[in-house]
Amino acid sequence: DGWANERAQLKGLMSPDAFASAKETSGDKDEPAWRQAKRATLNSHFTAPAVVDAHWKAAQRLGFKGGRYLDPSIGSGYYQGMMPEELAKTTSVTGLELDHTTAQVAAKLYPSATVRNQGFEAFQSPDGFFDLVASNVPFGNYTLHEKRYNRFQAPIHDHFFLKSIDKARPGGLIMHVTSTGTLDKPDDRIRKELASKADFVAAIRLPGKTHGKAANTEVVTDLIILRKHTAAGPAPEETPPEA
């Protein structure tokens, strides 16, 4: 009850007229932006600025100097906003965001980026196109429908890894904050699939309090860094970034 005024104001700002293009995930019917945003809160993960900063420093240390960058879960654009200035001058950004309102926010904040209001499973691009694929991906014990990956029955966070590797160029980096389940679950089918296409560079386990009070939750997560194999095979061993 203490949030009644704020709720009423927000619901008015997110009227069906203002967001007439918002759709159900299934695409079957129009959906008010209010209900879409409410549903999206299950996977609207806050990423602490210190984590984003370390993410970019690791990418630079591992050789990323600009190019094509894909953020498959851009949210309101934290990674775009904290990109080092020297990279911003030489990097083209493509961001995907399922929630219509959040995608609108990211597009307004970062007009130089290409922000698409769609889920990663619906995203179409050539394989081997991006130099860097990096984000704080959604995680949970549910699957996405995408014919190419349905055989894995992968949880959503692992689906993001499977597709990210295919979209990265040979030698490109895949760097995601994800659930600990990606590395810890007993079933290793997906890890073997990832290993067949990319080298394991580093993994950093982030304590539950890493993302701070703003996250309103304590969850242990991992930053996993992979480098896609080149045409010649696995890359030579390299020094992982410092934690």
Side-chain angles (χ1 to χ4, degrees):
D1 292 340
W3 293 92
N5 292 335
E6 288 82 358
R7 183 168 60 249
Q9 181 183 17
L10 184 59
K11 198 167 186 178
L13 291 170
M14 299 173 67
S15 67
D17 291 339
F19 298 96
S21 63
K23 301 286 185 180
E24 287 276 11
T25 302
S26 64
D28 293 338
K29 60 182 179 179
D30 288 339
E31 178 189 29
W34 173 260
R35 285 207 303 272
Q36 192 184 65
K38 184 177 180 181
R39 187 181 61 209
T41 59
L42 294 173
N43 270 314
S44 297
H45 302 309
F46 173 81
T47 311
V51 173
V52 181
D53 181 60
H55 215 139
W56 281 120
K57 287 178 179 176
Q60 288 180 294
R61 179 170 176 178
L62 290 169
F64 181 69
K65 298 178 181 179
R68 297 171 177 151
Y69 164 47
L70 172 65
D71 186 337
S73 182
I74 195 171
S76 58
Y78 260 59
Y79 280 84
Q80 167 77 359
M82 293 190 64
M83 183 185 299
E85 185 177 353
E86 61 271 26
L87 291 183
K89 295 176 181 178
T90 58
T91 300
S92 62
V93 179
T94 300
L96 311 178
E97 173 54 45
L98 181 62
D99 177 59
H100 183 81
T101 306
T102 309
Q104 292 276 314
V105 170
K108 293 293 185 182
L109 288 174
Y110 307 107
S112 64
T114 299
V115 179
R116 299 189 178 186
N117 177 205
Q118 62 181 165
F120 195 21
E121 72 278 11
F123 177 62
Q124 300 294 322
S125 76
D127 284 354
F129 187 75
F130 293 96
D131 301 286
L132 172 68
V133 188
S135 193
N136 181 355
V137 303
F139 44 88
N141 291 320
Y142 59 94
T143 61
L144 300 175
H145 175 72
E146 188 172 1
K147 185 176 180 180
R148 183 176 183 178
Y149 304 103
N150 283 348
R151 63 189 175 93
F152 294 103
Q153 289 297 293
I156 185 172
H157 42 280
D158 291 343
H159 188 119
F160 269 65
F161 271 97
L162 290 166
K163 187 165 183 174
S164 294
I165 284 182
D166 287 335
K167 297 307 169 189
R169 67 163 176 80
L173 291 168
I174 300 93
M175 308 174 65
H176 290 325
V177 175
T178 182
S179 163
T180 56
T182 297
L183 291 179
D184 286 358
K185 59 178 172 290
D187 186 346
D188 64 355
R189 292 179 305 114
I190 293 173
R191 290 194 295 272
K192 285 182 176 178
E193 177 68 14
L194 300 179
S196 73
K197 297 180 178 181
D199 294 310
F200 178 85
V201 177
I204 302 167
R205 181 142 293 178
L206 306 172
K209 295 183 179 181
T210 298
H211 299 287
K213 293 182 179 179
N216 198 31
T217 186
E218 290 189 12
V219 58
V220 179
T221 53
D222 289 339
L223 170 57
I224 299 176
I225 304 174
L226 308 174
R227 188 186 294 280
K228 188 170 179 176
H229 291 164
T230 64
E237 188 172 340
E238 58 188 310
T239 303
E242 295 177 355

